Amino acid sequence: MMQRDQASAMLGMVVEHDAPGESRVSMTVRDDMLNGFAITHGGLVFTLADTAFAIACNEDERVTVAGGADITFLKSTTAGQTLTATAARRARSGRTGLYDIRVTDETGDLVAEVRGRSITTDRRPPASVDAQSAIRATSARHAGARAEDAQIAEVARPADPRPADARAADPRPADSRPAQTPAPGASTGAASPAPQRNAALTTTEVSR
C-alpha cells in the first residue's frame, strides 16, 4: 500500500513499524508544513496519524478504509521537530474496527490523540506502478502487432477486377474483399506532370 502512497511520500513520512493491527510512522516538520502562526498545520498532524491508522487497519488483502475519526490536539510543534504516530487496534468485529493513534514529538510529549473507525471493503488493492507500466507496455506491443498484421493483410489482398457496381453489391466486409484496382487510365491520386510546351513558337504565335 505505501509503495503507491504518493501523498505520504511527498510529506517525507517514514514507516518505522508495520504489523497486523499496529504501526508507527514518523515525519519531520518542514517550513512548508507550518500555518500562519508558525506552528505545524493541524491537517498535517492528522495526515500523519491517518497514515499510521491506514497501515494498522489494512491487515489482509482486502482494502480497509476509514469510516470516521476524531482528533484532539494537545501540543503545538514547529519546523525541525519530528512527529511520530503510533497506531494500535482496540477492537475488530466483522467489517468494522476501532483504532487509537497517538502522535508524539521527539521528546515523547503527546501532540495529539486520534480515535479511528475502520470499514473493510470487498475491493482489492490496485496494481503497483511497475505492474501498471508492464500492462501498458504489453498492450502497446499487442496494438502494434495488430496494426502490422492489418497492413500485411492489406498488401496481400488480391486485386478486384470487378466493376464498381459489383463491388458495391458484395455482402462481404470491406476488409475481406479483394483490393480495388484503378481502371485503366484512371487517376491514382498522384498529380500528373504538366504537358511540356514545345520550345519552338509557331508562325501564328510569332505574328500575334
Side-chain angles (χ1 to χ4, degrees):
M1 178 186 71
M2 294 305 295
Q3 294 175 349
R4 298 181 298 272
D5 191 333
Q6 299 184 42
S8 298
M10 176 187 65
L11 295 172
M13 294 185 191
V14 177
V15 179
E16 299 180 353
H17 177 67
D18 180 0
E22 58 185 48
S23 71
R24 185 171 62 253
V25 183
S26 63
M27 177 183 76
T28 299
V29 181
R30 306 188 307 244
D31 289 334
D32 59 356
M33 297 178 179
L34 306 182
N35 62 18
F37 299 112
I39 59 178
T40 308
H41 196 293
L44 297 180
V45 175
F46 178 81
T47 300
L48 175 63
D50 186 48
T51 297
F53 173 29
I55 295 172
C57 68
N58 277 276
E59 303 185 32
D60 53 35
E61 71 281 0
R62 296 174 299 174
V63 172
T64 298
V65 297
D70 302 307
I71 185 169
T72 301
F73 297 103
L74 301 169
K75 179 183 178 181
S76 63
T77 56
T78 190
Q81 292 189 257
T82 299
L83 303 182
T84 301
T86 303
R89 182 181 64 239
R90 294 301 176 218
R92 189 181 185 192
S93 177
R95 291 178 177 269
T96 62
L98 191 65
Y99 295 78
D100 284 337
I101 307 97
R102 292 168 52 88
V103 181
T104 57
D105 62 15
E106 69 280 0
T107 67
D109 287 348
L110 191 60
V111 174
E113 282 192 337
V114 176
R115 168 61 62 92
R117 299 175 295 280
S118 67
I119 299 176
T120 300
T121 71
D122 291 324
R123 302 201 308 267
R124 294 295 185 269
S128 65
V129 175
D130 291 341
Q132 291 174 356
S133 300
I135 292 171
R136 286 195 294 267
T138 301
S139 299
R141 286 197 300 271
H142 288 172
R146 287 194 297 268
E148 184 177 353
D149 290 343
Q151 292 175 353
I152 293 174
E154 181 68 22
V155 172
R157 285 169 55 193
D160 190 349
R162 298 175 300 169
D165 55 350
R167 289 194 300 272
D170 193 335
R172 293 175 296 174
D175 58 358
S176 64
R177 303 176 193 169
Q180 180 179 345
T181 55
S187 172
T188 60
S192 300
Q196 297 293 327
R197 184 171 180 176
N198 195 329
L201 297 177
T202 63
T203 305
T204 304
E205 290 175 323
V206 172
S207 63
R208 285 180 185 172

